[in-house]
Amino acid sequence: MLFPRNDCSVRSRLIMFFILQTAWDVVLCQLHYMIPEESKHGAFVGRIAQDLGLDISDINSRRLRIVSKDGKEYFQVNLQNGILFVNNMIDREELCPKINICIVQLEVIVDKPVQINHIDVEIEDVNDNYPVFPSNEFKLVIAESRLPGSRFPLEGASDADVGTNSITNYELSSNDFFAIDVQTYSQKSKSIQLVLKKALDREQISCHNLTLIAFDGGKPKLSGTTQLLITVQDVNDNAPAFDQLFYRANLLENAVKGTFVIKLNATDLDQGENSDIFYGFSNVVSQEVTSIFSIEQHTGIIRVVGEVDFEQTNMYEIEVDAIDKGQYSMAGHCKVLVNILDMNDNHPELTVTSLNVPVSEDSSPGTVVAVISVHDRDSGLNGKVNCHISKHIPFTIKSTLREYYSLTVDGPLDRERKSAYDIEITATDEGSPALSVTKAIQIEISDVNDNPPTFLQTSEIISIKENNPPGSHVYTVSASDSDINQNSFITYSLTESTLDGIPISSYISINPENGKLFALLSFDHEQVTYFQCLIKATDAGLPPLSSNLTLNVFIQDINDNAPTVLAPFSSSVSRVTEMVSRSAIEGQLVTKIKAIDADSGYNAWISYKFKDLAGNTPFAIGHQTGEITVTRSLTESDGDEHRISILLKDHGDPEMSAVVTLTILLVESVQDLPLERKNHGRKYEDISESNIYLIMSIFLISSIFLITLIIYTVLKWHKYTQEVNELRQNNICSSIAGSWTYTQQRQYKVCLSGVTPKNDLILFTPNYPQSSLQDENWNRGCLNSDSAGKPKQPHPDWRYSASLRAAMQSAVHVEGSAVLRQGPGGLEQQWPTVSSATPEPDGGEVSPPVGAGVNCNSWTFKYGPGNPKQPVPQIPPDFPENFIIPGSPAIISIRQDQPSAQDPPKSNNFITFGKKEETKKKKKKKKGSKNQEKGNNAADNSDQ
């Protein structure tokens, strides 16, 4: 909380203002602020501009500034709002170390007019310092004979804080012997005394460690501590006493002189000379004991000074006194019993009585390698011996008889991994401490032929340049065998195989000792590019072991073949002539030279160029393609004959070449060229790389189209089969409108054959609902009549072509929407037609249908503009069941199926086409056959 205080009155301000106005404008005034110490930077102090009566807007213009007497910038003014704030943190104890009230004096100076104001900022103390004693501990010596009530002065603590934050109280840690008494004479004067409440006993508590605490009056309270180390001074009132009245000690026999036996310890509760003790043997100890043992006066240690023999005496009793050095000496007594123990002073003895080396690497576990005997002259546990060997080796040691051990094989042996073992056999007794002896033996492992020769890899690739000299060294194979001696001696051989019926040994041979391969003949890359041989490596062990290496031999090509020209530029033809029209344009192909090289790679890469070509020649050749083209328009100045030498060169090293001579004749027109010459260039153009890709693309597309067509045909045939099966289950009927039609599938089938005319023609009607009257008419018959009930007469212009008659003699399958429909003039025959852009003919025309099935003939009818749809002749009621279509040997039968006893009643009628009854006369049959042949011939002529 800040407390501004203004000590100047308004009156005094006015008086001073008028007096000093002519000289300088100074107004003296004083403000007083209070802030706690250690306030952080930016902490609010006071509204200095408001308290001084200054406008905020005049602070900058009048250059308000703050100056301290010591020159330190503890405070600053915010020129934006006129607030005084802490600039640097202030430590009151550092600024005013010995002053209770700490004030920082500031001067506030403003110009225009000049005004000086005095400001006092009081730094308020906070409890930030702990009470501190002059020392961390105080030592006092008090005799155990001092009486209770005795007082001992102590030095108090100090606190850098002031007022209530300074020291106000002292406390002493809880104890039964001492208390603290504080006497206050003034605010800064206090007396602290230690008061003895109870008599001291040094033998019970020789030192008292107390804690003195000083508290200040701040919030929160802070405290400081110091330790009071009070030592109680001794008086000789206690005799020395041993830790034990009876001591036991064990001593090994053959102990050397000076060996430690036991250390005695006596204590005296007194202090100083009253507690100084010396040791000695009692007067009752015999001379024999003193000749073997001695005791040190100051330490109480008993040591060996003579020879100790377990076999002579195994126990000694010694009386010992402890005496202090007080004015009136006092003594204490104890007895020491020393037991003599047998000592393990003999090492085991280890002897290898049998050793069978070397050991074969194929020895089975349990094979005995060595026999060892052990012996120890000690008795009991000191004479009991155990043997063990090194770990992680394929051997073990086992106890067989008393004092005998056997060394046996305990795991697989592999000489190739380790050829010898250094084994350390250790014999240890069970004495304490244990004694041991170690003996090292070496066991060598003998080799057996258990490793075949091995190559670095199972197959290798080598290359041999063609035309190599016979007998040349081409490669060296190498195998290794991890066995030794005879088992590692390797011989090489070729495994019998053939190349084109010739033994591989006729091509190459191998040195059986060093594995060197030699070529027996000169290889030709153009004849043999690659062959494979199998090399076998066999050691000399018993039984011998072997391994194989597959050697892939590639014949490396060299440039030993010149380019060869293909026909018609073959080497057998000395001169080739080409004719070119003088009207040939620039870029026109004259001919193309095709050549091959029997070599491969760059050796077979052929380039073409003219040799010794004149500078004005109108022809050029493609360096890579060999195409000879016209480079400019031909003129009259160009000769009629151009003889060109073409150099064919490969890219081998060294290069090889061939020369072709071409004669080009210039003619006046293309008609003068022979036909084969005109198309000569086109043939070469067609056989190009792009055309090959085009042919492959066409082949691929054709294959896809063929597969799609087959799949489509199979699906359509499957659908057609399903529809036929459904159609067979339906019957023919007439609609209420009196029209003959087929079902909603719009398909029907006409079958003409020599079998019984039962289902030769099947017609179906739409699935329309019918009345009972229609059902009655349905049962009576499917033929319509006119309104008078009389059947209509057949139309005289119902015509059938010869093709129809020929088709009705065989099995015909019709797909489409053919309809026998009731028209104005009677039944009309409506057959499906093939859509065509050509005008219709005058007469009816029969054409094969689209999508006819295999081994079936389907037909459609067209009617031209001059020949409208012909009415179908009506069938009279007395029409015979079987009748003959005019001009056709087929028979049409109209019948109504009657239900049998087995079948359910059916109301479907059928119109069937069948052959003539066989009861006709042979003469009429022959006559019908002749008419049929004539009709067929006429139909064929009309079709053509």
Side-chain angles (χ1 to χ4, degrees):
M1 187 68 183
L2 302 178
F3 303 95
R5 187 175 62 189
N6 193 345
D7 294 341
C8 258
S9 62
V10 179
R11 184 178 178 181
S12 62
R13 290 184 182 179
L14 292 175
I15 294 173
M16 294 296 297
F17 175 76
F18 286 111
I19 292 175
L20 301 176
Q21 183 177 5
T22 56
W24 64 81
D25 298 332
V26 176
V27 177
L28 296 178
C29 174
Q30 184 172 358
L31 297 177
H32 188 88
Y33 297 104
M34 295 179 64
I35 62 169
E37 66 170 325
E38 298 183 357
S39 297
K40 295 182 179 180
H41 173 77
F44 176 80
V45 178
R47 302 182 182 276
I48 188 171
Q50 180 179 352
D51 295 339
L52 293 177
L54 299 175
D55 293 334
I56 302 300
S57 60
D58 296 339
I59 295 177
N60 288 325
S61 61
R62 296 186 65 183
R63 297 178 58 192
L64 186 145
R65 57 191 180 273
I66 294 177
V67 179
S68 62
K69 288 186 177 182
D70 57 359
K72 295 183 179 179
E73 296 181 357
Y74 295 110
F75 304 95
Q76 281 188 357
V77 177
N78 189 335
L79 300 180
Q80 302 296 329
N81 51 24
I83 294 177
L84 182 66
F85 63 91
V86 176
N87 185 34
N88 295 319
M89 189 173 63
I90 300 174
D91 186 1
R92 193 201 67 81
E93 288 75 25
E94 181 182 355
L95 185 62
C96 308
K98 297 181 180 181
I99 302 174
N100 292 337
I101 299 175
C102 184
I103 294 176
V104 178
Q105 295 180 353
L106 304 176
E107 292 181 355
V108 179
I109 303 173
V110 292
D111 298 334
K112 297 179 183 180
V114 176
Q115 182 178 345
I116 299 175
N117 296 278
H118 297 284
I119 299 176
D120 293 338
V121 180
E122 182 179 346
I123 309 301
E124 199 175 23
D125 182 50
V126 296
N127 192 23
D128 58 345
N129 291 281
Y130 289 84
V132 178
F133 286 94
S135 177
N136 291 332
E137 62 180 16
F138 293 98
K139 295 181 179 180
L140 299 176
V141 178
I142 302 174
E144 62 178 335
S145 59
R146 292 294 295 266
L147 298 176
S150 302
R151 291 176 175 267
F152 309 95
L154 298 175
E155 189 176 358
S158 61
D159 195 329
D161 296 326
V162 295
T164 58
N165 295 330
S166 62
I167 298 173
T168 59
N169 189 22
Y170 289 91
E171 290 183 4
L172 187 66
S173 59
S174 177
N175 66 96
D176 297 334
F177 296 93
F178 298 95
I180 194 74
D181 183 25
V182 180
Q183 298 293 330
T184 302
Y185 302 105
S186 64
Q187 185 178 0
K188 293 185 178 181
S189 176
K190 291 181 182 179
S191 175
I192 304 172
Q193 293 181 347
L194 185 65
V195 180
L196 180 62
K197 299 189 299 182
K198 183 180 177 181
L200 300 176
D201 187 355
R202 196 202 63 78
E203 286 74 28
Q204 292 183 0
I205 302 176
S206 61
C207 183
H208 296 267
N209 190 354
L210 304 178
T211 301
L212 180 61
I213 306 173
F215 295 95
D216 61 16
K219 291 183 180 180
K221 287 185 177 183
L222 300 179
S223 62
T225 61
T226 186
Q227 299 295 322
L228 299 180
L229 301 179
I230 302 172
T231 303
V232 181
Q233 192 175 11
D234 181 52
V235 176
N236 190 16
D237 56 352
N238 294 282
F242 286 95
D243 295 341
Q244 304 176 30
L245 296 177
F246 184 79
Y247 291 90
R248 284 183 178 272
N250 295 323
L251 181 64
L252 294 175
E253 65 171 329
N254 301 327
V256 297
K257 293 181 180 180
T259 301
F260 173 84
V261 178
I262 193 173
K263 184 179 184 301
L264 304 179
N265 184 32
T267 59
D268 195 322
L269 297 179
D270 295 328
Q271 195 176 16
E273 292 184 355
N274 299 328
S275 64
D276 290 341
I277 300 172
F278 64 91
Y279 301 90
F281 291 143
S282 177
N283 296 329
V284 298
V285 176
S286 63
Q287 186 178 1
E288 180 184 1
V289 173
T290 57
S291 63
I292 297 175
F293 301 97
S294 66
I295 186 170
E296 297 178 358
Q297 292 185 358
H298 299 288
T299 60
I301 297 175
I302 298 177
R303 297 182 180 276
V304 176
V305 294
E307 294 181 0
V308 180
D309 190 356
F310 175 81
E311 288 71 25
Q312 293 181 4
T313 304
N314 57 6
M315 186 179 65
Y316 295 92
E317 291 184 5
I318 306 173
E319 296 284 345
V320 180
D321 294 335
I323 305 168
D324 62 21
K325 296 180 180 180
Q327 186 177 0
Y328 301 99
S329 299
M330 301 181 70
H333 311 280
C334 72
K335 179 180 286 189
V336 179
L337 183 62
V338 180
N339 295 320
I340 307 302
L341 303 177
D342 183 26
M343 186 179 64
N344 185 24
D345 54 353
N346 294 288
H347 289 269
E349 297 177 1
L350 188 147
T351 305
V352 178
T353 59
S354 176
L355 182 61
N356 300 320
V357 291
V359 179
S360 177
E361 63 177 328
D362 60 350
S363 298
S364 59
T367 302
V368 177
V369 178
V371 177
I372 301 110
S373 65
V374 293
H375 176 69
D376 196 322
R377 291 180 297 173
D378 293 328
S379 59
L381 294 178
N382 295 331
K384 187 176 181 180
V385 181
N386 297 318
C387 288
H388 60 277
I389 60 174
S390 308
K391 295 182 179 179
H392 308 297
I393 59 175
F395 296 95
T396 185
I397 190 168
K398 298 179 182 179
S399 176
T400 54
L401 301 175
R402 185 173 63 87
E403 297 182 350
Y404 282 92
Y405 289 84
S406 61
L407 181 66
T408 59
V409 177
D410 189 43
L413 302 176
D414 190 355
R415 191 212 60 81
E416 287 71 33
R417 296 179 59 185
K418 194 166 186 179
S419 60
Y421 292 89
D422 293 325
I423 301 177
E424 290 186 350
I425 304 174
T426 303
T428 307
D429 60 23
E430 297 183 5
S432 179
L435 299 177
S436 62
V437 64
T438 301
K439 188 175 183 63
I441 61 174
Q442 186 180 49
I443 299 177
E444 295 181 356
I445 308 300
S446 62
D447 182 55
V448 296
N449 191 25
D450 57 347
N451 291 282
T454 56
F455 293 94
L456 292 179
Q457 50 190 5
T458 58
S459 63
E460 294 184 12
I461 299 174
I462 66 171
S463 61
I464 303 174
K465 288 186 177 182
E466 64 174 331
N467 301 332
N468 59 292
S472 60
H473 172 249
V474 294
Y475 192 67
T476 301
V477 297
S478 177
S480 61
D481 197 321
S482 54
D483 295 326
I484 59 174
N485 299 330
Q486 180 180 350
N487 298 329
S488 64
F489 183 76
I490 301 174
T491 57
Y492 301 91
S493 62
L494 288 174
T495 302
E496 289 298 330
S497 60
T498 59
L499 177 62
D500 297 334
I502 301 174
I504 202 70
S505 58
S506 300
Y507 291 89
I508 59 174
S509 65
I510 189 170
N511 189 320
E513 295 182 358
N514 53 27
K516 290 186 176 182
L517 286 172
F518 298 93
L520 299 180
L521 48 80
S522 180
F523 291 101
D524 187 359
H525 174 79
E526 287 70 36
Q527 295 181 1
V528 178
T529 60
Y530 161 79
F531 65 91
Q532 190 180 76
C533 62
L534 199 64
I535 298 175
K536 184 177 183 180
T538 307
D539 59 21
L542 292 175
L545 300 177
S546 62
S547 61
N548 296 324
L549 170 66
T550 301
L551 197 63
N552 299 290
V553 182
F554 290 88
I555 307 304
Q556 185 177 351
D557 181 54
I558 62 175
N559 193 22
D560 57 346
N561 292 280
T564 303
V565 185
L566 299 178
F569 303 94
S570 61
S571 59
S572 60
V573 179
S574 59
R575 180 178 178 184
V576 178
T577 303
E578 291 287 341
M579 285 185 259
V580 179
S581 173
R582 288 185 176 273
S583 61
I585 62 175
E586 181 181 351
Q588 180 174 333
L589 180 68
V590 177
T591 186
K592 182 175 181 179
I593 298 175
K594 300 291 287 185
I596 60 172
D597 195 318
D599 296 324
S600 60
Y602 276 95
N603 297 330
W605 187 12
I606 303 174
S607 61
Y608 307 84
K609 69 176 183 179
F610 291 147
K611 181 180 180 182
D612 301 332
L613 184 65
N616 59 347
T617 180
F619 304 102
I621 187 170
H623 292 290
Q624 305 298 332
T625 61
E627 295 178 351
I628 298 176
T629 56
V630 178
T631 59
R632 59 178 174 81
S633 300
L634 302 176
T635 62
E636 294 296 334
S637 60
D638 294 325
D640 294 337
E641 179 178 342
H642 294 265
R643 180 172 296 178
I644 300 174
S645 297
I646 302 171
L647 178 64
L648 287 73
K649 183 171 59 176
D650 59 23
H651 289 70
D653 186 16
E655 294 180 347
M656 302 191 73
S657 61
V659 178
V660 176
T661 301
L662 175 64
T663 301
I664 300 177
L665 300 179
L666 301 183
V667 297
E668 293 299 330
S669 63
V670 180
Q671 285 75 15
D672 297 337
L673 297 176
L675 181 59
E676 62 273 10
R677 294 301 182 186
K678 295 178 183 179
N679 298 328
H680 182 70
R682 183 174 300 174
K683 290 191 294 181
Y684 287 110
E685 291 178 356
D686 293 340
I687 307 176
S688 62
E689 185 177 358
S690 60
N691 290 338
I692 292 175
Y693 290 141
L694 180 61
I695 293 172
M696 293 176 63
S697 302
I698 294 174
F699 175 75
L700 180 62
I701 295 173
S702 302
S703 302
I704 296 174
F705 173 76
L706 181 60
I707 294 172
T708 306
L709 183 62
I710 293 172
I711 295 174
Y712 176 77
T713 304
V714 172
L715 294 176
K716 292 295 290 184
W717 177 256
H718 180 67
K719 182 178 179 181
Y720 164 73
T721 306
Q722 289 181 345
E723 292 177 352
V724 168
N725 292 334
E726 294 177 359
L727 292 176
R728 286 178 179 175
Q729 297 177 2
N730 298 326
N731 294 321
I732 299 176
C733 66
S734 62
S735 65
I736 190 170
S739 63
W740 294 86
T741 182
Y742 65 112
T743 61
Q744 291 178 349
Q745 285 84 3
R746 300 181 62 81
Q747 293 184 0
Y748 72 90
K749 179 174 72 175
V750 177
C751 295
L752 300 178
S753 62
V755 297
T756 303
K758 184 175 181 180
N759 290 322
D760 295 331
L761 174 61
I762 302 175
L763 301 178
F764 301 95
T765 59
N767 296 328
Y768 296 136
Q770 298 176 354
S771 62
S772 61
L773 179 61
Q774 291 172 343
D775 295 337
E776 183 179 358
N777 293 333
W778 178 278
N779 294 330
R780 291 179 180 178
C782 293
L783 295 177
N784 295 332
S785 60
D786 57 4
S787 61
K790 296 181 180 181
K792 294 182 179 181
Q793 298 298 325
H795 198 280
D797 295 333
W798 192 26
R799 297 159 46 187
Y800 294 88
S801 65
S803 300
L804 176 62
R805 292 196 300 270
M808 295 174 64
Q809 292 179 1
S810 60
V812 179
H813 175 73
V814 179
E815 288 182 325
S817 57
V819 178
L820 294 179
R821 185 176 297 279
Q822 178 72 26
L827 292 173
E828 294 179 355
Q829 182 181 9
Q830 298 179 358
W831 299 93
T833 62
V834 178
S835 60
S836 174
T838 59
E840 296 179 349
D842 294 339
E845 179 182 289
V846 179
S847 62
V850 178
V854 180
N855 296 330
C856 293
N857 294 320
S858 301
W859 308 88
T860 60
F861 288 79
K862 264 184 197 177
Y863 297 91
N867 185 22
K869 298 178 182 179
Q870 301 299 324
V872 179
Q874 305 300 316
I875 302 175
D878 56 349
F879 200 82
E881 181 179 0
N882 297 322
F883 68 93
I884 302 174
I885 299 176
S888 173
I891 299 175
I892 298 177
S893 64
I894 303 177
R895 62 183 178 82
Q896 179 178 358
D897 291 343
Q898 300 297 330
S900 61
Q902 292 81 7
D903 301 329
K906 298 180 180 178
S907 61
N908 296 338
N909 297 326
F910 297 87
I911 297 178
T912 62
F913 290 81
K915 290 185 178 180
K916 289 183 179 182
E917 296 180 356
E918 293 182 0
T919 57
K920 298 292 182 178
K921 293 182 180 181
K922 188 174 182 181
K923 183 177 180 180
K924 291 182 178 181
K925 189 173 184 180
K926 291 181 179 180
K927 185 178 180 179
S929 302
K930 292 179 179 180
N931 293 332
Q932 178 182 356
E933 293 177 358
K934 293 179 179 181
N936 292 337
N937 294 330
D940 295 338
N941 294 329
S942 61
D943 292 337
Q944 293 176 358

